[in-house]
Amino acid sequence: MPDYLEMIKEQNDNVLNDLHKRMDDDAGLLKLSNYVMRDTRGRLIPDIVNVTLDRPRLIAEHIIAALGKVKQQVVVESEDKKVDTAYIESFQKAMFAMADARLRRQGQWQLNPYADEQLSIRGRAVRRILVREENGVLIPDIVPWDARYVTYEMGEEGLAWGAYQGKRLKAAIESEAWAIEKKFVLNKKDAIVTDVWDTEGNYVYVDKEVVWEEKHLWDFCPVVVEVVSLGSMLADEDALQYGGESVFFLIRKAIPELQRLISIMQTLNLLTLKAPIQEATKEGMQAGEYADRMRMGASTPVQIGGGITRIDFGDVKRAAQMALSIIEKAMQEGGLTSVDLGNLQFELSAIALIQIGESRFQVLEPRWNAKGWLNQQTAEMFTRQVIQIGHSVEIGTLGHKRTFEVGKLAGEYETRYSYVPVDPALDVARYTTAAAAREWLDDESILEKIIRDEDPAGTIKRRYYDMAEKISPTVLRTRVIRSLIERAEDGDEHASYEAEVMALEVGMSIEQIKQGNVPQLPAGNGKNQEGLMQLFQSGGRPSSAKRAAQLQGQPREETEE
């Protein structure tokens, strides 16, 4: 076994140090760590009203919420007609739901919400995936790891190894499955635990001692990592520090300057109320430090007829206000606008809304993509593990469990997880623009270029399907009858009667409608066509003789008496 502790230490000290500092700074912005003004040498400046703004937390929370509000689309595609893609999609959804239910029972964050924050603040997300059976019960043990405390190394075919390291309390350590099996006892209140997984096994360190070592059944490392594609891709030595950026990457330097300016202005406001003064005395000026003389409310004795001149704070205030407007503009461009926050006091045009929405998505889209790739990797990995179990498994949450045959999960196919933003204001703006473009563009172009539909051809097909009942009263009645039949099968007696009545009106039986058997009526524009139109009128029920004649295409006069 390699000396993973030494490998982790080497990476943390020589490779990841700057990245970890960036992550810690970003976490401080998220947690609204108290701002303290310092001079150019890093020393604390006394007598300052230090102001901590909630702006960075507001920006982060809105972006994290936007990531969580997107609509998830799962698509399994395969050239092999034998692959049941719908079956595989259902399996993956059931697995994710079961894994989330397990995390909720354990009091932990669910997979997607945790990934949203990780991708927003850390700029990357990590999961450890173990699917196993215990006493015939499937355990989807999928655990999200905080990327700040993860060290890993890539191999030619994927992750070579991945480790999660952090301080844990005695009770938490002793409650682990390996600790219970080994009857491990920690003789102090906490320790550093390092959980390492590679392509062969699992190794657990408590402080510097290996306390657990076990081989696993897979030929891959059961850890997935996904990095946001924002930041630097240069080959510089410090490129890692600027890769996989957080939501603060455009305003990371501006936030402290904004807080500095607000602190200066608040300090000046207070100095206006409680300014330093000078007092003329017979004794004259006494020696003293500058800080003592200039602190709020300080009184400095001066010689009669002499003294010092009070600082004019007005120019400083005007300069601060000008700087504030510049920094505010930078914050708006790199963070959230008033439109994003929902506090705009005037209406915008459709074009303006689209432009603002598109610019916001340029920051969000790389995180949606990373989230999709993360879930795709997760699905592929737990599918491989379930297939290796070798027999049918029961998957799903309580009341929604289903048995899946592992044989139907095998085959060559690709899973794609994509996300569509939900923004009613932007949708309305696009629909307005689409209506104006209808005179010049075809429906598919409008859907693709303006509405930004991911499947324009499919949308048009569904639209035609909906139009069928508007064009043909027959189709509408048939669909209504089928809906009534479904309600009747659920035990609604009134629906059963109403389905029979409507079936008689169209001259068909319930069984014919269930089986999709439509009467073959001869073509033409004569009496047969007239009979077809009367067949589906909303009037009273036709006589049995008339209905039989209509079904057979005979003239109505020959059968009526």
Side-chain angles (χ1 to χ4, degrees), residues 172-206:
I173 295 173
E174 294 178 350
S175 65
E176 288 285 351
W178 58 264
I180 294 172
E181 182 176 335
K182 193 175 180 180
K183 298 181 180 179
F184 178 83
V185 177
L186 183 67
N187 296 320
K188 52 184 180 178
K189 66 176 184 179
D190 56 37
I192 300 294
V193 177
T194 307
D195 187 14
V196 183
W197 291 84
D198 61 16
T199 57
E200 296 181 357
N202 172 224
Y203 321 96
V204 179
Y205 296 79
V206 175

PDB file of all heavy atoms in Angstrom, residues 172-206:
ATOM      1  N   ALA A 172     -18.146  10.021  16.811  1.00  0.00           N
ATOM      2  CA  ALA A 172     -18.362   9.866  15.375  1.00  0.00           C
ATOM      3  C   ALA A 172     -17.425   8.815  14.795  1.00  0.00           C
ATOM      4  O   ALA A 172     -17.822   8.024  13.927  1.00  0.00           O
ATOM      5  CB  ALA A 172     -18.167  11.203  14.668  1.00  0.00           C
ATOM      6  N   ILE A 173     -16.196   8.789  15.274  1.00  0.00           N
ATOM      7  CA  ILE A 173     -15.229   7.809  14.769  1.00  0.00           C
ATOM      8  C   ILE A 173     -15.637   6.399  15.171  1.00  0.00           C
ATOM      9  O   ILE A 173     -15.627   5.470  14.360  1.00  0.00           O
ATOM     10  CB  ILE A 173     -13.816   8.142  15.291  1.00  0.00           C
ATOM     11  CG1 ILE A 173     -13.344   9.481  14.709  1.00  0.00           C
ATOM     12  CG2 ILE A 173     -12.832   7.030  14.931  1.00  0.00           C
ATOM     13  CD1 ILE A 173     -12.037   9.976  15.291  1.00  0.00           C
ATOM     14  N   GLU A 174     -16.019   6.226  16.421  1.00  0.00           N
ATOM     15  CA  GLU A 174     -16.342   4.891  16.926  1.00  0.00           C
ATOM     16  C   GLU A 174     -17.665   4.364  16.393  1.00  0.00           C
ATOM     17  O   GLU A 174     -17.959   3.174  16.522  1.00  0.00           O
ATOM     18  CB  GLU A 174     -16.363   4.912  18.454  1.00  0.00           C
ATOM     19  CG  GLU A 174     -14.993   5.173  19.066  1.00  0.00           C
ATOM     20  CD  GLU A 174     -15.023   5.242  20.589  1.00  0.00           C
ATOM     21  OE1 GLU A 174     -16.138   5.271  21.162  1.00  0.00           O
ATOM     22  OE2 GLU A 174     -13.950   5.271  21.199  1.00  0.00           O
ATOM     23  N   SER A 175     -18.479   5.237  15.766  1.00  0.00           N
ATOM     24  CA  SER A 175     -19.768   4.783  15.203  1.00  0.00           C
ATOM     25  C   SER A 175     -19.639   4.303  13.767  1.00  0.00           C
ATOM     26  O   SER A 175     -20.620   3.808  13.195  1.00  0.00           O
ATOM     27  CB  SER A 175     -20.783   5.923  15.269  1.00  0.00           C
ATOM     28  OG  SER A 175     -20.393   7.002  14.429  1.00  0.00           O
ATOM     29  N   GLU A 176     -18.460   4.450  13.156  1.00  0.00           N
ATOM     30  CA  GLU A 176     -18.258   3.980  11.785  1.00  0.00           C
ATOM     31  C   GLU A 176     -18.365   2.463  11.719  1.00  0.00           C
ATOM     32  O   GLU A 176     -18.059   1.753  12.678  1.00  0.00           O
ATOM     33  CB  GLU A 176     -16.891   4.421  11.272  1.00  0.00           C
ATOM     34  CG  GLU A 176     -16.785   5.907  10.990  1.00  0.00           C
ATOM     35  CD  GLU A 176     -17.507   6.306   9.716  1.00  0.00           C
ATOM     36  OE1 GLU A 176     -17.946   5.412   8.970  1.00  0.00           O
ATOM     37  OE2 GLU A 176     -17.632   7.520   9.463  1.00  0.00           O
ATOM     38  N   ALA A 177     -18.790   1.948  10.557  1.00  0.00           N
ATOM     39  CA  ALA A 177     -18.985   0.503  10.392  1.00  0.00           C
ATOM     40  C   ALA A 177     -17.691  -0.263  10.643  1.00  0.00           C
ATOM     41  O   ALA A 177     -17.690  -1.297  11.318  1.00  0.00           O
ATOM     42  CB  ALA A 177     -19.531   0.213   8.990  1.00  0.00           C
ATOM     43  N   TRP A 178     -16.570   0.250  10.101  1.00  0.00           N
ATOM     44  CA  TRP A 178     -15.305  -0.446  10.294  1.00  0.00           C
ATOM     45  C   TRP A 178     -14.887  -0.436  11.763  1.00  0.00           C
ATOM     46  O   TRP A 178     -14.300  -1.398  12.271  1.00  0.00           O
ATOM     47  CB  TRP A 178     -14.209   0.176   9.431  1.00  0.00           C
ATOM     48  CG  TRP A 178     -13.961   1.642   9.693  1.00  0.00           C
ATOM     49  CD1 TRP A 178     -14.486   2.692   9.007  1.00  0.00           C
ATOM     50  CD2 TRP A 178     -13.144   2.213  10.723  1.00  0.00           C
ATOM     51  NE1 TRP A 178     -14.052   3.892   9.530  1.00  0.00           N
ATOM     52  CE2 TRP A 178     -13.221   3.619  10.574  1.00  0.00           C
ATOM     53  CE3 TRP A 178     -12.360   1.672  11.737  1.00  0.00           C
ATOM     54  CZ2 TRP A 178     -12.547   4.491  11.431  1.00  0.00           C
ATOM     55  CZ3 TRP A 178     -11.681   2.534  12.587  1.00  0.00           C
ATOM     56  CH2 TRP A 178     -11.770   3.941  12.428  1.00  0.00           C
ATOM     57  N   ALA A 179     -15.199   0.670  12.478  1.00  0.00           N
ATOM     58  CA  ALA A 179     -14.835   0.774  13.895  1.00  0.00           C
ATOM     59  C   ALA A 179     -15.650  -0.196  14.735  1.00  0.00           C
ATOM     60  O   ALA A 179     -15.138  -0.818  15.681  1.00  0.00           O
ATOM     61  CB  ALA A 179     -15.039   2.198  14.387  1.00  0.00           C
ATOM     62  N   ILE A 180     -16.941  -0.342  14.386  1.00  0.00           N
ATOM     63  CA  ILE A 180     -17.796  -1.276  15.122  1.00  0.00           C
ATOM     64  C   ILE A 180     -17.328  -2.710  14.902  1.00  0.00           C
ATOM     65  O   ILE A 180     -17.236  -3.506  15.840  1.00  0.00           O
ATOM     66  CB  ILE A 180     -19.265  -1.102  14.681  1.00  0.00           C
ATOM     67  CG1 ILE A 180     -19.782   0.288  15.096  1.00  0.00           C
ATOM     68  CG2 ILE A 180     -20.137  -2.196  15.275  1.00  0.00           C
ATOM     69  CD1 ILE A 180     -21.150   0.615  14.544  1.00  0.00           C
ATOM     70  N   GLU A 181     -17.011  -3.027  13.622  1.00  0.00           N
ATOM     71  CA  GLU A 181     -16.553  -4.382  13.310  1.00  0.00           C
ATOM     72  C   GLU A 181     -15.231  -4.701  14.007  1.00  0.00           C
ATOM     73  O   GLU A 181     -15.018  -5.801  14.499  1.00  0.00           O
ATOM     74  CB  GLU A 181     -16.404  -4.532  11.799  1.00  0.00           C
ATOM     75  CG  GLU A 181     -15.971  -5.934  11.365  1.00  0.00           C
ATOM     76  CD  GLU A 181     -15.936  -6.084   9.869  1.00  0.00           C
ATOM     77  OE1 GLU A 181     -16.655  -5.334   9.172  1.00  0.00           O
ATOM     78  OE2 GLU A 181     -15.203  -6.959   9.371  1.00  0.00           O
ATOM     79  N   LYS A 182     -14.367  -3.710  14.070  1.00  0.00           N
ATOM     80  CA  LYS A 182     -13.041  -3.922  14.663  1.00  0.00           C
ATOM     81  C   LYS A 182     -13.031  -3.640  16.166  1.00  0.00           C
ATOM     82  O   LYS A 182     -12.030  -3.851  16.843  1.00  0.00           O
ATOM     83  CB  LYS A 182     -12.025  -3.009  13.961  1.00  0.00           C
ATOM     84  CG  LYS A 182     -10.580  -3.357  14.257  1.00  0.00           C
ATOM     85  CD  LYS A 182      -9.639  -2.485  13.440  1.00  0.00           C
ATOM     86  CE  LYS A 182      -8.187  -2.847  13.751  1.00  0.00           C
ATOM     87  NZ  LYS A 182      -7.235  -2.026  12.985  1.00  0.00           N
ATOM     88  N   LYS A 183     -14.163  -3.124  16.702  1.00  0.00           N
ATOM     89  CA  LYS A 183     -14.265  -2.720  18.104  1.00  0.00           C
ATOM     90  C   LYS A 183     -13.187  -1.692  18.457  1.00  0.00           C
ATOM     91  O   LYS A 183     -12.500  -1.768  19.477  1.00  0.00           O
ATOM     92  CB  LYS A 183     -14.156  -3.941  19.020  1.00  0.00           C
ATOM     93  CG  LYS A 183     -15.272  -4.955  18.810  1.00  0.00           C
ATOM     94  CD  LYS A 183     -15.150  -6.143  19.739  1.00  0.00           C
ATOM     95  CE  LYS A 183     -16.275  -7.132  19.491  1.00  0.00           C
ATOM     96  NZ  LYS A 183     -16.175  -8.335  20.362  1.00  0.00           N
ATOM     97  N   PHE A 184     -13.072  -0.728  17.553  1.00  0.00           N
ATOM     98  CA  PHE A 184     -12.050   0.308  17.704  1.00  0.00           C
ATOM     99  C   PHE A 184     -12.465   1.311  18.775  1.00  0.00           C
ATOM    100  O   PHE A 184     -13.609   1.755  18.819  1.00  0.00           O
ATOM    101  CB  PHE A 184     -11.831   1.023  16.371  1.00  0.00           C
ATOM    102  CG  PHE A 184     -10.834   2.135  16.419  1.00  0.00           C
ATOM    103  CD1 PHE A 184      -9.473   1.877  16.322  1.00  0.00           C
ATOM    104  CD2 PHE A 184     -11.254   3.451  16.570  1.00  0.00           C
ATOM    105  CE1 PHE A 184      -8.554   2.904  16.360  1.00  0.00           C
ATOM    106  CE2 PHE A 184     -10.335   4.485  16.611  1.00  0.00           C
ATOM    107  CZ  PHE A 184      -8.989   4.212  16.506  1.00  0.00           C
ATOM    108  N   VAL A 185     -11.523   1.689  19.648  1.00  0.00           N
ATOM    109  CA  VAL A 185     -11.777   2.655  20.703  1.00  0.00           C
ATOM    110  C   VAL A 185     -10.727   3.759  20.606  1.00  0.00           C
ATOM    111  O   VAL A 185      -9.514   3.483  20.546  1.00  0.00           O
ATOM    112  CB  VAL A 185     -11.725   2.006  22.097  1.00  0.00           C
ATOM    113  CG1 VAL A 185     -11.914   3.066  23.179  1.00  0.00           C
ATOM    114  CG2 VAL A 185     -12.800   0.927  22.223  1.00  0.00           C
ATOM    115  N   LEU A 186     -11.186   5.011  20.580  1.00  0.00           N
ATOM    116  CA  LEU A 186     -10.277   6.161  20.538  1.00  0.00           C
ATOM    117  C   LEU A 186     -10.071   6.665  21.957  1.00  0.00           C
ATOM    118  O   LEU A 186     -11.041   6.903  22.693  1.00  0.00           O
ATOM    119  CB  LEU A 186     -10.872   7.265  19.653  1.00  0.00           C
ATOM    120  CG  LEU A 186      -9.999   8.507  19.446  1.00  0.00           C
ATOM    121  CD1 LEU A 186      -8.756   8.153  18.635  1.00  0.00           C
ATOM    122  CD2 LEU A 186     -10.798   9.607  18.750  1.00  0.00           C
ATOM    123  N   ASN A 187      -8.838   6.874  22.328  1.00  0.00           N
ATOM    124  CA  ASN A 187      -8.515   7.253  23.705  1.00  0.00           C
ATOM    125  C   ASN A 187      -8.347   8.755  23.891  1.00  0.00           C
ATOM    126  O   ASN A 187      -7.654   9.190  24.811  1.00  0.00           O
ATOM    127  CB  ASN A 187      -7.239   6.533  24.147  1.00  0.00           C
ATOM    128  CG  ASN A 187      -7.425   5.025  24.195  1.00  0.00           C
ATOM    129  OD1 ASN A 187      -8.476   4.535  24.633  1.00  0.00           O
ATOM    130  ND2 ASN A 187      -6.432   4.272  23.735  1.00  0.00           N
ATOM    131  N   LYS A 188      -8.944   9.552  23.015  1.00  0.00           N
ATOM    132  CA  LYS A 188      -8.954  11.002  23.186  1.00  0.00           C
ATOM    133  C   LYS A 188     -10.236  11.562  22.571  1.00  0.00           C
ATOM    134  O   LYS A 188     -11.007  10.823  21.935  1.00  0.00           O
ATOM    135  CB  LYS A 188      -7.720  11.635  22.549  1.00  0.00           C
ATOM    136  CG  LYS A 188      -7.458  11.240  21.110  1.00  0.00           C
ATOM    137  CD  LYS A 188      -6.159  11.867  20.629  1.00  0.00           C
ATOM    138  CE  LYS A 188      -5.863  11.481  19.182  1.00  0.00           C
ATOM    139  NZ  LYS A 188      -4.622  12.130  18.700  1.00  0.00           N
ATOM    140  N   LYS A 189     -10.479  12.854  22.735  1.00  0.00           N
ATOM    141  CA  LYS A 189     -11.788  13.406  22.361  1.00  0.00           C
ATOM    142  C   LYS A 189     -11.980  13.534  20.852  1.00  0.00           C
ATOM    143  O   LYS A 189     -13.117  13.521  20.366  1.00  0.00           O
ATOM    144  CB  LYS A 189     -12.000  14.762  23.019  1.00  0.00           C
ATOM    145  CG  LYS A 189     -11.062  15.856  22.532  1.00  0.00           C
ATOM    146  CD  LYS A 189     -11.424  17.189  23.172  1.00  0.00           C
ATOM    147  CE  LYS A 189     -10.548  18.314  22.612  1.00  0.00           C
ATOM    148  NZ  LYS A 189     -10.910  19.617  23.203  1.00  0.00           N
ATOM    149  N   ASP A 190     -10.890  13.682  20.072  1.00  0.00           N
ATOM    150  CA  ASP A 190     -11.029  13.791  18.620  1.00  0.00           C
ATOM    151  C   ASP A 190      -9.729  13.358  17.957  1.00  0.00           C
ATOM    152  O   ASP A 190      -8.705  13.145  18.626  1.00  0.00           O
ATOM    153  CB  ASP A 190     -11.418  15.205  18.194  1.00  0.00           C
ATOM    154  CG  ASP A 190     -10.435  16.256  18.691  1.00  0.00           C
ATOM    155  OD1 ASP A 190      -9.224  15.974  18.727  1.00  0.00           O
ATOM    156  OD2 ASP A 190     -10.864  17.359  19.057  1.00  0.00           O
ATOM    157  N   ALA A 191      -9.777  13.239  16.631  1.00  0.00           N
ATOM    158  CA  ALA A 191      -8.594  12.827  15.870  1.00  0.00           C
ATOM    159  C   ALA A 191      -8.805  13.172  14.408  1.00  0.00           C
ATOM    160  O   ALA A 191      -9.935  13.406  13.951  1.00  0.00           O
ATOM    161  CB  ALA A 191      -8.336  11.330  16.032  1.00  0.00           C
ATOM    162  N   ILE A 192      -7.717  13.208  13.649  1.00  0.00           N
ATOM    163  CA  ILE A 192      -7.773  13.422  12.209  1.00  0.00           C
ATOM    164  C   ILE A 192      -8.008  12.067  11.532  1.00  0.00           C
ATOM    165  O   ILE A 192      -7.208  11.146  11.684  1.00  0.00           O
ATOM    166  CB  ILE A 192      -6.479  14.038  11.678  1.00  0.00           C
ATOM    167  CG1 ILE A 192      -6.222  15.389  12.342  1.00  0.00           C
ATOM    168  CG2 ILE A 192      -6.551  14.186  10.163  1.00  0.00           C
ATOM    169  CD1 ILE A 192      -7.230  16.450  11.993  1.00  0.00           C
ATOM    170  N   VAL A 193      -9.110  11.956  10.798  1.00  0.00           N
ATOM    171  CA  VAL A 193      -9.440  10.715  10.094  1.00  0.00           C
ATOM    172  C   VAL A 193      -9.215  10.928   8.599  1.00  0.00           C
ATOM    173  O   VAL A 193      -9.685  11.918   8.020  1.00  0.00           O
ATOM    174  CB  VAL A 193     -10.898  10.287  10.354  1.00  0.00           C
ATOM    175  CG1 VAL A 193     -11.237   9.041   9.545  1.00  0.00           C
ATOM    176  CG2 VAL A 193     -11.125  10.037  11.826  1.00  0.00           C
ATOM    177  N   THR A 194      -8.505  10.004   7.976  1.00  0.00           N
ATOM    178  CA  THR A 194      -8.253  10.049   6.538  1.00  0.00           C
ATOM    179  C   THR A 194      -8.832   8.793   5.906  1.00  0.00           C
ATOM    180  O   THR A 194      -8.407   7.680   6.202  1.00  0.00           O
ATOM    181  CB  THR A 194      -6.744  10.133   6.245  1.00  0.00           C
ATOM    182  OG1 THR A 194      -6.173  11.227   6.978  1.00  0.00           O
ATOM    183  CG2 THR A 194      -6.504  10.337   4.759  1.00  0.00           C
ATOM    184  N   ASP A 195      -9.827   8.985   5.047  1.00  0.00           N
ATOM    185  CA  ASP A 195     -10.512   7.877   4.375  1.00  0.00           C
ATOM    186  C   ASP A 195     -10.033   7.832   2.926  1.00  0.00           C
ATOM    187  O   ASP A 195     -10.330   8.728   2.130  1.00  0.00           O
ATOM    188  CB  ASP A 195     -12.022   8.093   4.444  1.00  0.00           C
ATOM    189  CG  ASP A 195     -12.815   6.909   3.928  1.00  0.00           C
ATOM    190  OD1 ASP A 195     -12.221   5.825   3.759  1.00  0.00           O
ATOM    191  OD2 ASP A 195     -14.026   7.060   3.678  1.00  0.00           O
ATOM    192  N   VAL A 196      -9.271   6.795   2.568  1.00  0.00           N
ATOM    193  CA  VAL A 196      -8.643   6.701   1.249  1.00  0.00           C
ATOM    194  C   VAL A 196      -9.258   5.548   0.463  1.00  0.00           C
ATOM    195  O   VAL A 196      -9.426   4.438   0.997  1.00  0.00           O
ATOM    196  CB  VAL A 196      -7.122   6.484   1.368  1.00  0.00           C
ATOM    197  CG1 VAL A 196      -6.482   6.475  -0.021  1.00  0.00           C
ATOM    198  CG2 VAL A 196      -6.483   7.551   2.243  1.00  0.00           C
ATOM    199  N   TRP A 197      -9.562   5.830  -0.817  1.00  0.00           N
ATOM    200  CA  TRP A 197     -10.054   4.801  -1.725  1.00  0.00           C
ATOM    201  C   TRP A 197      -9.216   4.842  -2.997  1.00  0.00           C
ATOM    202  O   TRP A 197      -8.944   5.921  -3.530  1.00  0.00           O
ATOM    203  CB  TRP A 197     -11.523   5.040  -2.092  1.00  0.00           C
ATOM    204  CG  TRP A 197     -12.457   4.835  -0.951  1.00  0.00           C
ATOM    205  CD1 TRP A 197     -12.782   5.738   0.019  1.00  0.00           C
ATOM    206  CD2 TRP A 197     -13.177   3.641  -0.644  1.00  0.00           C
ATOM    207  NE1 TRP A 197     -13.664   5.194   0.903  1.00  0.00           N
ATOM    208  CE2 TRP A 197     -13.928   3.895   0.530  1.00  0.00           C
ATOM    209  CE3 TRP A 197     -13.279   2.386  -1.233  1.00  0.00           C
ATOM    210  CZ2 TRP A 197     -14.757   2.944   1.110  1.00  0.00           C
ATOM    211  CZ3 TRP A 197     -14.113   1.438  -0.657  1.00  0.00           C
ATOM    212  CH2 TRP A 197     -14.831   1.719   0.502  1.00  0.00           C
ATOM    213  N   ASP A 198      -8.792   3.672  -3.452  1.00  0.00           N
ATOM    214  CA  ASP A 198      -8.104   3.597  -4.732  1.00  0.00           C
ATOM    215  C   ASP A 198      -8.755   2.515  -5.583  1.00  0.00           C
ATOM    216  O   ASP A 198      -9.869   2.056  -5.276  1.00  0.00           O
ATOM    217  CB  ASP A 198      -6.596   3.380  -4.559  1.00  0.00           C
ATOM    218  CG  ASP A 198      -6.257   2.081  -3.839  1.00  0.00           C
ATOM    219  OD1 ASP A 198      -7.139   1.193  -3.743  1.00  0.00           O
ATOM    220  OD2 ASP A 198      -5.114   1.931  -3.366  1.00  0.00           O
ATOM    221  N   THR A 199      -8.097   2.074  -6.639  1.00  0.00           N
ATOM    222  CA  THR A 199      -8.690   1.104  -7.560  1.00  0.00           C
ATOM    223  C   THR A 199      -8.710  -0.318  -6.995  1.00  0.00           C
ATOM    224  O   THR A 199      -9.259  -1.216  -7.633  1.00  0.00           O
ATOM    225  CB  THR A 199      -7.926   1.101  -8.889  1.00  0.00           C
ATOM    226  OG1 THR A 199      -6.549   0.816  -8.634  1.00  0.00           O
ATOM    227  CG2 THR A 199      -8.044   2.454  -9.578  1.00  0.00           C
ATOM    228  N   GLU A 200      -8.146  -0.495  -5.808  1.00  0.00           N
ATOM    229  CA  GLU A 200      -8.080  -1.840  -5.223  1.00  0.00           C
ATOM    230  C   GLU A 200      -8.781  -1.960  -3.886  1.00  0.00           C
ATOM    231  O   GLU A 200      -9.363  -3.000  -3.590  1.00  0.00           O
ATOM    232  CB  GLU A 200      -6.613  -2.271  -5.074  1.00  0.00           C
ATOM    233  CG  GLU A 200      -5.878  -2.414  -6.398  1.00  0.00           C
ATOM    234  CD  GLU A 200      -4.440  -2.858  -6.207  1.00  0.00           C
ATOM    235  OE1 GLU A 200      -4.015  -3.003  -5.030  1.00  0.00           O
ATOM    236  OE2 GLU A 200      -3.744  -3.063  -7.209  1.00  0.00           O
ATOM    237  N   GLY A 201      -8.708  -0.927  -3.060  1.00  0.00           N
ATOM    238  CA  GLY A 201      -9.273  -1.085  -1.728  1.00  0.00           C
ATOM    239  C   GLY A 201      -9.518   0.219  -1.004  1.00  0.00           C
ATOM    240  O   GLY A 201      -9.437   1.313  -1.580  1.00  0.00           O
ATOM    241  N   ASN A 202      -9.808   0.083   0.297  1.00  0.00           N
ATOM    242  CA  ASN A 202     -10.118   1.193   1.186  1.00  0.00           C
ATOM    243  C   ASN A 202      -9.168   1.147   2.389  1.00  0.00           C
ATOM    244  O   ASN A 202      -8.934   0.079   2.963  1.00  0.00           O
ATOM    245  CB  ASN A 202     -11.576   1.096   1.658  1.00  0.00           C
ATOM    246  CG  ASN A 202     -11.927   2.098   2.737  1.00  0.00           C
ATOM    247  OD1 ASN A 202     -12.588   1.754   3.708  1.00  0.00           O
ATOM    248  ND2 ASN A 202     -11.497   3.332   2.597  1.00  0.00           N
ATOM    249  N   TYR A 203      -8.625   2.311   2.754  1.00  0.00           N
ATOM    250  CA  TYR A 203      -7.672   2.397   3.859  1.00  0.00           C
ATOM    251  C   TYR A 203      -8.073   3.580   4.732  1.00  0.00           C
ATOM    252  O   TYR A 203      -8.295   4.688   4.230  1.00  0.00           O
ATOM    253  CB  TYR A 203      -6.251   2.588   3.338  1.00  0.00           C
ATOM    254  CG  TYR A 203      -5.966   1.771   2.097  1.00  0.00           C
ATOM    255  CD1 TYR A 203      -6.086   2.340   0.825  1.00  0.00           C
ATOM    256  CD2 TYR A 203      -5.629   0.425   2.181  1.00  0.00           C
ATOM    257  CE1 TYR A 203      -5.861   1.599  -0.322  1.00  0.00           C
ATOM    258  CE2 TYR A 203      -5.402  -0.326   1.038  1.00  0.00           C
ATOM    259  CZ  TYR A 203      -5.520   0.262  -0.209  1.00  0.00           C
ATOM    260  OH  TYR A 203      -5.310  -0.483  -1.338  1.00  0.00           O
ATOM    261  N   VAL A 204      -8.166   3.327   6.032  1.00  0.00           N
ATOM    262  CA  VAL A 204      -8.574   4.374   6.969  1.00  0.00           C
ATOM    263  C   VAL A 204      -7.442   4.624   7.955  1.00  0.00           C
ATOM    264  O   VAL A 204      -6.949   3.691   8.600  1.00  0.00           O
ATOM    265  CB  VAL A 204      -9.869   3.979   7.719  1.00  0.00           C
ATOM    266  CG1 VAL A 204     -10.252   5.079   8.703  1.00  0.00           C
ATOM    267  CG2 VAL A 204     -11.007   3.729   6.736  1.00  0.00           C
ATOM    268  N   TYR A 205      -7.063   5.913   8.065  1.00  0.00           N
ATOM    269  CA  TYR A 205      -6.065   6.336   9.040  1.00  0.00           C
ATOM    270  C   TYR A 205      -6.766   7.109  10.158  1.00  0.00           C
ATOM    271  O   TYR A 205      -7.653   7.925   9.875  1.00  0.00           O
ATOM    272  CB  TYR A 205      -5.039   7.278   8.413  1.00  0.00           C
ATOM    273  CG  TYR A 205      -4.186   6.702   7.316  1.00  0.00           C
ATOM    274  CD1 TYR A 205      -4.674   6.558   6.026  1.00  0.00           C
ATOM    275  CD2 TYR A 205      -2.859   6.349   7.555  1.00  0.00           C
ATOM    276  CE1 TYR A 205      -3.884   6.053   4.998  1.00  0.00           C
ATOM    277  CE2 TYR A 205      -2.044   5.854   6.535  1.00  0.00           C
ATOM    278  CZ  TYR A 205      -2.571   5.705   5.255  1.00  0.00           C
ATOM    279  OH  TYR A 205      -1.787   5.222   4.244  1.00  0.00           O
ATOM    280  N   VAL A 206      -6.370   6.867  11.384  1.00  0.00           N
ATOM    281  CA  VAL A 206      -6.753   7.721  12.503  1.00  0.00           C
ATOM    282  C   VAL A 206      -5.461   8.357  12.994  1.00  0.00           C
ATOM    283  O   VAL A 206      -4.575   7.659  13.503  1.00  0.00           O
ATOM    284  CB  VAL A 206      -7.447   6.931  13.620  1.00  0.00           C
ATOM    285  CG1 VAL A 206      -7.710   7.835  14.821  1.00  0.00           C
ATOM    286  CG2 VAL A 206      -8.760   6.347  13.116  1.00  0.00           C
TER     287      VAL A 206
END
